[in-house]
Amino acid sequence: MAQQQQTSAGSFSAGSDGDPKGKSFQQMGTLKKKYKVVIIGAGMAGLSSANHLVKNGCSDFAILEARNRVGGRIIGIDMGSQKIELGANWIHGVLGNPMFELAMQHGLISIINIPKPHKIVAATEDGKQVPFQVLQEIYEAYVCFLRRCEEYFLCQYLPPPDIHSVGEHINLESEIYLNNIDDQKEKHLRQLIFECLLKRETCITGCHNMDEIDLLELGSYTELQGGNIVLPTGYSSILKPLCDTLPPENIILSCPVKTIHWRRKSRARDNNQTETILEEDEDDIDSDDSDKTVTEVPIGGTGDSKSDNKNSSLKHYTSNVQIECENGTIIEADHVICTVPLGVLKEQGETLFTPSLPQYKLESIESLLYGTVDKIFLEYDRPFLNAKISEIMFLWETVEPDADGDQEEFLKANWFKKIYSFSKVSDTLLLGWISGREAEYMESISHEVVAEKCTEILRKFLQDPFIPKPKRCVCTSWHAQPYSRGSYTAIAVGASQDDIDNIAQPLYSSPHQSKPSVLFAGEHTHSNFYSTVHGAYLSGRTAAQILLTPDSPQEIVMESDSSDLSSWIQGIALE
């Protein structure tokens, strides 16, 4: 995704058409040194937190965003006459989805949805097209197998022995299914379709291979009813109504955070190995609430001089948290809402926080999967596909890497075989998806190489040597982006919803503290809607609500996100 043809997802400034371009957000400058709440990250979770604070009368906050734009993994650009989304693509579900309600509220979507004709062509490497009834037969069987995988989460029965992943279970089911077919050519063809659908599933789930996804946890993801909704003006158009409610001076762009210093009371051992509680001298604290803030001790508590030096500056601050930015600026806060993606936590989790995050959080961050899913857009001067065809599926022959061979050479020779299809965005714009290590490899090569290889693929499978080269190729690079390091969260084999809950757990500076010092939000912190924008939105709102909840009950302004059908109908204005 970049200003050259191969574009870097983080390289666009705020304000492609539909983005909050009119807002003059701060670039590190006249920000205050102390806030009640600091939100780290201006993606959907951060914007949601800020909106909930504003709606409830709290304006003493700042959003620190490392990129030079808002939106995080939501970004759209213009490609010719077409608006394309480099990140989030669909609103997943209607009933109970706050993103759908927000889009409806601001006129970003029409209630009248006329489905476009969808004709899929599946072809083998020798250019032979699969009869549609065969494709439909295998697809229906595959969906059935996938639904059976989801059932384990709620049911009491266990899968077959030694079957731990979704990939293993579907392969077992497909093998049993194919054993009933005597004709070897017909059997092989159907096997290729199953393999293609599993590649597609890696892009939906966010992984390299479905063998990585825990079978017993697949059903933990809650699918909202209503299908996938595309906003006519692009998903990124949803950022504008969110930003319009926020004071521009509260959003500071191009402000990467280096360290989050949070006070924690912990036990440390003295030289005699006896445990003592270390606290600041109350004379150094001006706060009226010193018993909740005098907790600067490093979590390790080993008396290590390096750790002590990292925390010594806290003696001069009375707030629960201080944020050290990469440019050296120090900002104090009573509370921090950290919305950095799981990929960044995997890379910096042990160094971003001082004291370090509790071990249970670090282990859960390590356990969860954060895969790479990239898009390839091909733009042409003129249409060349049959007008009735909307998607071409590629049934690649299986090539397994040599266990002792050079893995980098294997990727170089075969990365493009992970592209399972190209679909029409318009008559002159095609979209392909690629996931996992192949996607990471693609990010390392030039757009010219990607465009040439995609042209070869289309000519090969469609048996047409005259298919033109695209005039422009745009590829995303979510893994290479330092502030995303991937695409979205999945539950790996051995991990569970508990790991998501562990990451979401807020941190308190002392047992007596009524409100946490550090809260966490983002799609990776929602145990049912992980990997989605609405999951990020709801987690951000929840974090803000925790800080807003008073010690004595009072009214809190909440948007309606009820899945009750009558409340949804009431939200539709009929002219």
Side-chain angles (χ1 to χ4, degrees):
M1 315 175 217
Q3 295 305 0
Q4 299 175 335
Q5 307 293 352
Q6 181 155 358
T7 313
S8 196
S11 63
F12 287 93
S13 60
S16 307
D17 190 26
D19 287 354
K21 189 169 185 176
K23 309 285 278 187
S24 53
F25 303 128
Q26 289 194 72
Q27 306 279 334
M28 285 299 293
T30 57
L31 73 168
K32 297 193 298 180
K33 299 300 182 185
K34 169 72 187 293
Y35 293 90
K36 183 175 181 63
V37 182
V38 168
I39 300 166
I40 299 176
M44 183 52 70
L47 295 175
S48 172
S49 291
N51 267 269
H52 196 55
L53 292 175
V54 166
K55 286 178 181 178
N56 288 278
C58 176
S59 59
D60 188 11
F61 69 88
I63 305 178
L64 307 183
E65 169 54 49
R67 293 180 172 96
N68 64 351
R69 61 171 180 84
V70 300
R73 284 164 279 169
I74 302 174
I75 175 172
I77 64 167
D78 293 321
M79 192 168 179
S81 60
Q82 194 79 26
K83 177 71 176 289
I84 64 169
E85 294 300 322
L86 303 177
N89 221 75
W90 298 283
I91 293 177
H92 296 290
V94 172
L95 296 183
N97 190 328
M99 308 321 298
F100 181 80
E101 292 172 7
L102 190 65
M104 286 290 295
Q105 180 185 346
H106 293 279
L108 300 177
I109 191 169
S110 169
I111 190 63
I112 301 171
N113 184 23
I114 302 171
K116 295 179 181 178
H118 192 51
K119 182 180 179 183
I120 301 175
V121 169
T124 57
E125 286 191 54
D126 58 5
K128 292 181 180 176
Q129 293 188 6
V130 177
F132 182 75
Q133 61 269 25
V134 174
L135 189 60
Q136 188 173 30
E137 168 205 329
I138 299 304
Y139 179 74
E140 288 174 357
Y142 171 81
V143 169
C144 179
F145 301 160
L146 193 63
R147 292 291 174 258
R148 276 211 278 264
C149 291
E150 292 173 346
E151 289 172 3
Y152 285 111
F153 180 73
L154 296 174
C155 296
Q156 297 299 314
Y157 57 87
L158 294 173
D162 301 321
I163 300 293
H164 305 291
S165 72
V166 174
E168 290 169 338
H169 197 280
I170 289 181
N171 283 325
L172 175 63
E173 293 249 40
S174 62
E175 185 180 338
I176 294 169
Y177 180 89
L178 294 172
N179 280 341
N180 295 319
I181 300 171
D182 295 326
D183 188 304
Q184 291 303 306
K185 284 187 177 180
E186 290 296 317
K187 184 176 181 178
H188 180 65
L189 179 63
R190 286 162 173 76
Q191 176 64 39
L192 294 181
I193 299 172
F194 276 124
E195 290 173 2
C196 182
L197 292 171
L198 280 170
K199 288 178 185 176
R200 176 176 176 266
E201 202 66 40
T202 64
C203 291
I204 295 170
T205 304
C207 60
H208 171 69
N209 187 295
M210 292 306 292
D211 289 350
E212 298 174 332
I213 304 302
D214 194 279
L215 175 60
L216 300 182
E217 292 289 326
L218 184 67
S220 64
Y221 173 81
T222 301
E223 190 171 337
L224 298 178
Q225 297 302 304
N228 292 330
I229 309 297
V230 177
L231 298 183
T233 50
Y235 206 129
S236 50
S237 62
I238 212 161
L239 297 175
K240 187 177 186 302
L242 287 168
C243 291
D244 281 348
T245 63
L246 304 178
E249 63 273 13
N250 289 35
I251 302 178
I252 296 96
L253 302 179
S254 301
C255 182
V257 169
K258 180 181 179 182
T259 311
I260 300 166
H261 299 270
W262 62 290
R263 301 173 183 275
R264 177 188 174 103
K265 182 178 290 186
S266 70
R267 294 184 179 273
R269 296 178 182 273
D270 60 21
N271 291 333
N272 296 323
Q273 298 299 302
T274 58
E275 289 191 344
T276 56
I277 297 292
L278 300 183
E279 295 185 353
E280 286 180 347
D281 187 1
E282 285 192 15
D283 293 337
D284 295 335
I285 302 294
D286 296 323
S287 171
D288 293 332
D289 208 17
S290 58
D291 64 319
K292 296 177 182 177
T293 58
V294 290
T295 51
E296 62 158 296
V297 183
I299 191 169
T302 60
D304 178 72
S305 60
K306 185 176 180 182
S307 296
D308 291 342
N309 288 337
K310 286 177 72 176
N311 289 274
S312 60
S313 63
L314 286 174
K315 288 182 180 290
H316 305 293
Y317 292 86
T318 60
S319 301
N320 293 330
V321 190
Q322 60 169 320
I323 298 96
E324 182 183 356
C325 303
E326 284 192 1
N327 70 348
T329 301
I330 303 290
I331 304 168
E332 289 186 77
D334 293 328
H335 313 280
V336 162
I337 300 176
C338 178
T339 74
V340 300
L342 179 60
V344 177
L345 289 178
K346 281 180 171 289
E347 184 178 71
Q348 301 178 24
E350 294 188 4
T351 59
L352 182 60
F353 294 86
T354 299
S356 177
L357 289 175
Q359 191 61 33
Y360 77 90
K361 274 190 185 290
L362 294 174
E363 289 174 359
S364 290
I365 288 168
E366 179 67 25
S367 296
L368 289 171
L369 188 64
Y370 190 74
T372 301
V373 179
D374 280 320
K375 299 179 182 180
I376 304 169
F377 289 96
L378 304 176
E379 185 185 18
Y380 297 88
D381 284 317
R382 57 179 177 81
F384 63 87
L385 271 181
N386 185 305
K388 295 180 180 178
I389 296 175
S390 57
E391 184 174 2
I392 315 136
M393 288 176 61
F394 306 132
L395 306 183
W396 294 100
E397 291 292 337
T398 307
V399 180
E400 295 293 342
D402 185 347
D404 300 322
D406 187 324
Q407 297 302 307
E408 194 66 22
E409 285 300 315
F410 178 82
L411 274 177
K412 184 178 179 180
N414 296 282
W415 68 269
F416 50 88
K417 295 181 180 178
K418 197 66 170 290
I419 304 172
Y420 65 87
S421 82
F422 269 106
S423 58
K424 275 184 184 175
V425 179
S426 71
D427 287 338
T428 56
L429 186 62
L430 298 183
L431 167 60
W433 298 76
I434 187 169
S435 66
R437 290 192 287 274
E438 290 85 355
E440 293 172 20
Y441 178 82
M442 183 203 69
E443 293 181 13
S444 71
I445 60 180
S446 72
H447 68 279
E448 288 91 353
V449 172
V450 175
E452 287 171 7
K453 186 54 69 175
C454 290
T455 303
E456 284 180 28
I457 292 169
L458 289 166
R459 289 175 177 176
K460 179 186 184 77
F461 280 87
L462 293 176
Q463 288 288 287
D464 182 353
F466 299 106
I467 287 176
K469 291 182 180 179
K471 69 175 182 180
R472 189 181 181 198
C473 173
V474 169
C475 306
T476 60
S477 57
W478 289 108
H479 181 263
Q481 295 304 309
Y483 307 122
S484 59
R485 290 300 186 202
S487 300
Y488 36 83
T489 303
I491 299 184
V493 172
S496 72
Q497 274 186 318
D498 291 342
D499 291 301
I500 293 175
D501 291 335
N502 285 344
I503 297 173
Q505 191 73 26
L507 299 174
Y508 290 79
S509 291
S510 81
H512 309 293
Q513 196 178 17
S514 61
K515 299 286 192 299
S517 295
V518 183
L519 302 94
F520 297 85
E523 53 87 14
H524 58 287
T525 66
H526 199 293
S527 57
N528 296 109
F529 298 142
Y530 52 87
S531 80
T532 67
V533 177
H534 59 273
Y537 180 92
L538 291 169
S539 71
R541 194 178 69 180
T542 297
Q545 184 181 331
I546 289 171
L547 298 180
L548 289 165
T549 304
D551 295 331
S552 58
Q554 73 181 47
E555 184 179 359
I556 288 187
V557 177
M558 290 285 289
E559 308 118 288
S560 170
D561 65 345
S562 169
S563 58
D564 180 76
L565 183 60
S566 62
S567 68
W568 177 71
I569 291 174
Q570 289 169 14
I572 300 172
L574 298 178
E575 296 183 2

